[in-house]
Amino acid sequence: MSSVVSFALPAARNPVKPEFTRHDAHLNDGESTLKPQARASVVLPGEEIATATSFMRGHGTYPLNDKLQSSLAGVIERVNKLISVRPLRSRYSGEVGDVVVGRVTEVGQKRWKVDINARQDAVLLLSSINLPGGVQRRKSEMDELNMRKFFTDGDLLSAEVQSFFNDGGASLQTRNTKYGKLRNGTLVTVPSSLIRRSKSHFHTLSSGVHLIVGLNGNIWVSKATPQSTEEKDSEMIYMGTNDDDFSDDVRRNIARTCNSIIALARCQVLINEVLIFNMYEAALDLDVPVKDIVSRREEILSHARKARDFMHIDETQ
Amino acid sequence: MVPAANGSAFMEAGKIKVMAAVYGPRQRPASAGSTSSSSPVLLCDFKFAPFASPSRRGYLKDSSERAASLSLLRALEPAVRYEALPERSAVDVFVTVLEEDGVQASVASAITCASVALADAGIELYDLVIGCSAAFLPSSPDTPTNVLLDPTVVESTHPSCTGSLIMAAMPSLAEVAHFELDGSVSGEEVGESIDLALDACASLHGAVKAVIAGSGSGDTVS
């Protein structure tokens, strides 16, 4: 352009005021005032939630010109002076002791990286697994060289959250025969918010199906195996192939269980072993083919809720 | 919208249909971003569906789609609270235009849609980012203003069109996140278009908020 063009940025405009007010009542707290929409259910990023500086800012908020704005789409939670916004949807954030099901993404120096649907990959240290040939054996250099024989990229495993690093990443452990490499089954992923902590996350259903309900939303549905054989053979625990005697009936039961879980997730109900099994039995009761379970989920769920006498579960630790 | 994504959104604006999916925050793949820095990254991917335009588009990204990906990144970056994301993490934003009506207007819609998807994914944002586009046409006696907001493909590719504008604003903060001007346009026209586009962003912001508030988290999962 030949001529010098000068133009000023427009003057700051007033923020858009939401036309919709859900509640008219202001929450008065001395000199500070919580905005009317802050009493209502959902706020969006950029929305003003409180006018005064006397509130403490919690998660999901940031200060702007003596005001508190939301930085998340979520629900406002207020504990005395602390205001935070709980997101409507978030990734899994673990707690120590959680049972999780994850997939190995990387093999590193004395450690594996495991994707557990969290904000960061979790770490499984070589020192946190059961080595074959004796539970209490010291790890040797050979074990370091053989790491890919234990877990390699893409392997699924169940583990427990042992601790957290400073950056928020989780450290896992599998030092228990109930944890370890997964085989003979299928992975189902549901939103982690649908799974609650419970006494046990390992269940053998009477249909011959074993469930590992990971708190990160990964549910492992597999063939139930007698526990004694698993414990006996230490070489077996890192085997990556399925059993030879894997009958079509068991495979069908697994598929039916998987689809029942997916159907429950689509119905947005909390998932636990009782409901999974009731859903499974209700589908059998109504003679629904495996492939139609998800599409006829509402019908099956209402039937499962009506008939509560399906429940037969053997708890296994 | 997208069951596998952590957050997703779909938006229609006139003929334009845009779909956005957000994955993350998740562990940053070794290939993404500079490996030396541990700061979190936002990765944007803008693609026209092969059937989005009257003439078929390829599966690979062409130069206009690469440029649009960059515009999308530049527009969303100012809104993302990077300090709230963990180190060495990545947030992936995939925008697919199912039906386009002018590249600029499609990019503007993509920006709006992607910011809603980011909010849906629970990513901390300073504000929603609202996109708006404009085309500059020579003034004629019967049209007092020569700035057309969110032009259709006929308007934005008209032979007499002298320039185009893509703007992204954060209306709650009254800030401009991204500004992209093409062509030879006078300063007066630019000033006028900024005013118009900001107004459009503000009213669109109200509409987007009303839709989200009305539907709650009506998005289905799994």
Side-chain angles (χ1 to χ4, degrees):
Chain A
M1 243 181 271
S2 55
S3 63
V4 178
V5 180
S6 71
F7 54 87
L9 279 173
R13 269 143 210 278
N14 290 329
V16 182
K17 292 277 177 290
E19 296 93 326
F20 45 92
T21 45
R22 296 99 159 196
H23 290 263
D24 292 318
H26 281 247
L27 179 84
N28 284 311
D29 190 289
E31 74 274 34
S32 59
T33 313
L34 207 61
K35 280 271 154 180
Q37 66 264 33
R39 302 287 302 141
S41 49
V42 179
V43 288
L44 289 170
E47 212 165 305
E48 192 184 313
I49 48 178
T51 43
T53 44
S54 54
F55 282 112
M56 284 162 70
R57 12 184 209 107
H59 290 294
T61 64
Y62 67 95
L64 179 84
N65 307 331
D66 292 346
K67 285 171 192 155
L68 215 51
Q69 315 266 123
S70 168
S71 62
L72 284 170
V75 187
I76 294 182
E77 287 186 340
R78 180 166 175 267
V79 180
N80 295 325
K81 289 271 175 192
L82 179 73
I83 288 193
S84 53
V85 179
R86 189 165 49 85
L88 291 174
R89 216 183 315 176
S90 63
R91 306 220 73 189
Y92 167 72
S93 61
E95 276 179 33
V96 171
D98 280 2
V99 174
V100 295
V101 173
R103 193 183 288 278
V104 176
T105 55
E106 200 181 310
V107 185
Q109 280 288 315
K110 296 186 195 174
R111 70 190 60 203
W112 293 270
K113 286 282 178 68
V114 185
D115 181 9
I116 54 164
N117 298 342
R119 289 149 62 98
Q120 287 151 288
D121 282 357
V123 169
L124 175 66
L125 293 169
L126 179 58
S127 55
S128 309
I129 69 163
N130 264 345
L131 298 166
V135 180
Q136 294 302 324
R137 185 164 68 80
R138 273 181 69 91
K139 69 177 165 64
S140 63
E141 271 186 33
M142 274 312 286
D143 292 325
E144 257 179 70
L145 296 172
N146 283 334
M147 274 180 68
R148 277 179 197 278
K149 292 214 172 116
F150 306 145
F151 297 113
T152 186
D153 307 53
D155 280 356
L156 280 163
L157 57 91
S158 66
E160 185 182 290
V161 178
Q162 187 175 36
S163 60
F164 285 96
F165 295 108
N166 284 335
D167 64 353
S171 174
L172 306 178
Q173 61 104 350
T174 62
R175 302 207 76 137
N176 189 318
T177 43
K178 63 185 180 181
Y179 302 127
K181 200 168 201 160
L182 300 174
R183 49 199 284 270
N184 289 333
T186 309
L187 179 76
V188 185
T189 302
V190 301
S192 60
S193 54
L194 295 182
I195 296 176
R196 291 275 181 267
R197 290 179 179 83
S198 74
K199 205 165 84 222
S200 171
H201 290 269
F202 298 82
H203 308 280
T204 304
L205 306 180
S206 55
S207 52
V209 171
H210 185 70
L211 290 176
I212 303 175
V213 185
L215 277 159
N216 57 342
N218 287 347
I219 302 176
W220 180 250
V221 187
S222 64
K223 186 176 110 173
T225 40
Q227 259 198 321
S228 52
T229 56
E230 268 179 42
E231 276 170 21
K232 240 183 266 168
D233 205 339
S234 62
E235 294 298 318
M236 282 276 288
I237 56 175
Y238 293 113
M239 205 167 89
T241 50
N242 285 342
D243 286 348
D244 296 329
D245 55 332
F246 203 163
S247 69
D248 285 357
D249 276 347
V250 175
R251 286 172 195 265
R252 203 170 295 116
N253 286 351
I254 290 172
R256 192 182 295 276
T257 311
C258 287
N259 279 0
S260 302
I261 295 168
I262 294 167
L264 287 171
R266 292 274 180 92
C267 292
Q268 298 264 38
V269 293
L270 285 182
I271 292 169
N272 57 44
E273 73 285 356
V274 179
L275 199 52
I276 292 171
F277 188 69
N278 284 353
M279 194 78 175
Y280 171 94
E281 286 292 326
L284 271 183
D285 216 36
L286 292 172
D287 225 10
V288 179
V290 173
K291 64 180 169 59
D292 294 336
I293 290 178
V294 177
S295 53
R296 291 170 65 183
R297 55 186 182 269
E298 302 290 347
E299 173 194 350
I300 303 169
L301 182 63
S302 64
H303 185 72
R305 281 181 166 151
K306 261 181 267 161
R308 290 178 178 277
D309 52 343
F310 291 137
M311 186 59 205
H312 309 284
I313 284 193
D314 306 324
E315 292 274 320
T316 53
Q317 264 313 134
Chain B
M1 266 303 299
V2 185
N6 296 111
S8 55
F10 174 76
M11 179 177 151
E12 283 185 40
K15 268 176 71 183
I16 298 171
K17 292 177 185 66
V18 195
M19 195 168 83
V22 172
Y23 297 82
R26 59 183 177 187
Q27 189 81 30
R28 187 172 70 196
S31 56
S34 57
T35 42
S36 57
S37 128
S38 63
S39 50
V41 289
L42 184 70
L43 303 165
C44 290
D45 191 290
F46 177 96
K47 185 81 188 79
F48 285 109
F51 48 83
S53 336
S55 61
R56 190 184 175 280
R57 283 175 187 269
Y59 285 101
L60 295 174
K61 274 207 279 293
D62 64 18
S63 60
S64 76
E65 287 164 326
R66 275 195 295 275
S69 300
L70 195 65
S71 301
L72 188 63
L73 176 68
R74 292 278 177 269
L76 295 176
E77 255 187 333
V80 175
R81 292 186 67 189
Y82 279 102
E83 72 275 15
L85 293 171
E87 283 186 359
R88 282 180 293 278
S89 66
V91 176
D92 293 85
V93 181
F94 295 94
V95 177
T96 308
V97 179
L98 299 173
E99 187 172 352
E100 66 135 329
D101 196 10
V103 174
Q104 288 82 18
S106 302
V107 174
S109 298
I111 292 167
T112 311
C113 192
S115 81
V116 174
L118 280 171
D120 184 40
I123 310 282
E124 293 207 30
L125 303 172
Y126 287 110
D127 193 4
L128 292 175
V129 187
I130 307 293
C132 184
S133 65
F136 298 92
L137 291 171
S139 45
S140 62
D142 52 317
T143 51
T145 173
N146 52 0
V147 179
L148 298 175
L149 285 180
D150 286 322
T152 64
V153 69
V154 178
E155 290 159 346
S156 62
T157 57
H158 196 270
S160 63
C161 180
T162 56
S164 69
L165 167 79
I166 298 172
M167 196 174 86
M170 299 189 277
S172 299
L173 307 182
E175 280 182 31
V176 173
H178 181 66
F179 186 80
E180 205 176 314
L181 185 67
D182 265 330
S184 75
V185 184
S186 76
E188 250 171 41
E189 283 177 311
V190 173
E192 190 193 338
S193 68
I194 291 174
D195 283 347
L196 284 169
L198 276 179
D199 281 340
C201 287
S203 56
L204 188 54
H205 184 240
V208 168
K209 277 166 64 163
V211 167
I212 299 174
S215 67
S217 62
D219 206 354
T220 52
V221 291
S222 191

